[in-house]
Amino acid sequence: MLTGLLADRRVPPATAAHAAVTLASHRRQLGGHAAARPLDALGLRLASTALREGGSEPDVDGADARAARTDALVGLAADALGTGDVRGAARLLDVAEEVGRGHPSWRPGVRAGWVRAELALLRGVPAEAVEPAERAVAASRTAGSWRHEVKSRIVLAVARSAHSRSPRVARTAVVELDEMASKARKSGLLPLAWPADLAAADLLAQEPLANEWRRATVRQSSSDTTSGATRRRHSARATLSVIVARADPVGRRLVRESPWLPSPLPVV
């Protein structure tokens, strides 16, 4: 559907721009940040064309040309992060936030908050990741968007645990991530379930939570030999295998090539 919208010249530029950035987001979900970049760039060009032609009035649902331009810039920032260009990501995100300032839709701000938090984590300043993640949670919850709230809560749990480095906060983050993974699966939001599983697994693999989990495992049935981290990584791989089975050939190739995704994946 998205590729069809991009191929059809009768589609208005603003609509095609949203199609391009949505397809780019799908590529990133499969680890294809480099593959997403030209799609985000196309979305930016189409949105700019729509704005030059008069565009459309700002829309509270973010379906207008200005929102598409903001989303494309945020997407390019995410692409830059995924390919190791932290400085480029920061510049693009600054521009995106300036373009989106004052827009009536909550969506561009939430997406920018995700990338702002991820940028802070990659730069090694987790304290700066907490506030944008908290704003994203609040905005998505107010808007009533469960999908955006789930992702925002995943980002916030990771940001808080990285900032605090306290075992208590880490335990709370694992509980939150487990809850988000479970609810994402029940809601059919599989692309959000596996990152939550992996984030929880990473926390459980760190000391002293790893020692706590090993002690808890000893108290369980002797037949339960799968550790918390291992079990969650297996769950993430199983979920990804379902996503890959539903992906197009490009998506399946991106998963095989991506350094960001766990491998090997089980066969569904």
Side-chain angles (χ1 to χ4, degrees):
M1 177 180 176
L2 294 173
T3 53
L5 289 172
L6 291 174
D8 189 344
R9 294 188 176 183
R10 297 169 298 178
V11 174
T15 302
H18 281 288
V21 297
T22 301
L23 183 56
S25 176
H26 291 331
R27 297 307 187 212
R28 274 194 302 277
Q29 289 173 359
L30 296 176
H33 295 78
R37 181 183 292 156
L39 290 165
D40 282 317
L42 173 60
L44 181 60
R45 290 196 300 273
L46 289 166
S48 299
T49 297
L51 288 169
R52 284 196 302 271
E53 294 177 351
S56 55
E57 290 297 317
D59 177 61
V60 293
D61 290 324
D64 58 283
R66 183 176 156 204
R69 188 165 186 251
T70 304
D71 284 346
L73 287 163
V74 171
L76 286 167
D79 301 334
L81 274 184
T83 53
D85 183 7
V86 175
R87 289 184 180 180
R91 288 194 299 269
L92 286 161
L93 194 53
D94 287 343
V95 175
E97 290 176 337
E98 181 62 31
V99 170
R101 186 167 287 115
H103 193 283
S105 176
W106 55 272
R107 295 175 191 271
V110 167
R111 291 168 181 148
W114 297 337
V115 181
R116 180 65 70 185
E118 291 165 3
L119 174 63
L121 291 171
L122 283 178
R123 293 172 69 179
V125 283
E128 297 178 11
V130 176
E131 184 182 356
E134 287 177 338
R135 283 190 272 110
V137 170
S140 56
R141 184 173 289 159
T142 299
S145 173
W146 177 238
R147 178 171 66 87
H148 288 79
E149 182 182 338
V150 169
K151 178 163 181 177
S152 299
R153 287 172 64 177
I154 292 170
V155 174
L156 179 57
V158 173
R160 283 176 171 167
S161 62
H163 171 45
S164 171
R165 296 189 176 277
S166 144
R168 179 184 62 80
V169 174
R171 285 192 294 270
T172 300
V174 170
V175 171
E176 173 79 344
L177 291 165
D178 282 348
E179 180 184 354
M180 291 301 98
S182 175
K183 289 186 174 180
R185 287 189 175 88
K186 290 177 181 176
S187 303
L189 302 174
L190 296 186
L192 298 180
W194 70 264
D197 279 331
L198 287 185
D202 287 344
L203 286 173
L204 285 169
Q206 297 172 9
E207 303 293 345
L209 285 194
N211 288 334
E212 288 186 9
W213 187 266
R214 280 192 288 269
R215 288 194 296 269
T217 301
V218 168
R219 294 193 295 269
Q220 294 173 356
S221 167
S222 59
S223 62
D224 183 7
T225 58
T226 304
S227 76
T230 300
R231 177 169 59 80
R232 287 166 177 80
R233 290 196 178 102
H234 175 78
S235 177
R237 289 189 178 95
T239 301
L240 262 172
S241 71
V242 175
I243 295 172
V244 171
R246 299 173 180 174
D248 63 8
V250 174
R252 289 193 288 273
R253 176 179 58 79
L254 293 175
V255 170
R256 290 194 301 269
E257 297 175 353
S258 175
W260 295 103
L261 303 187
S263 60
L265 297 178
V267 177
V268 176

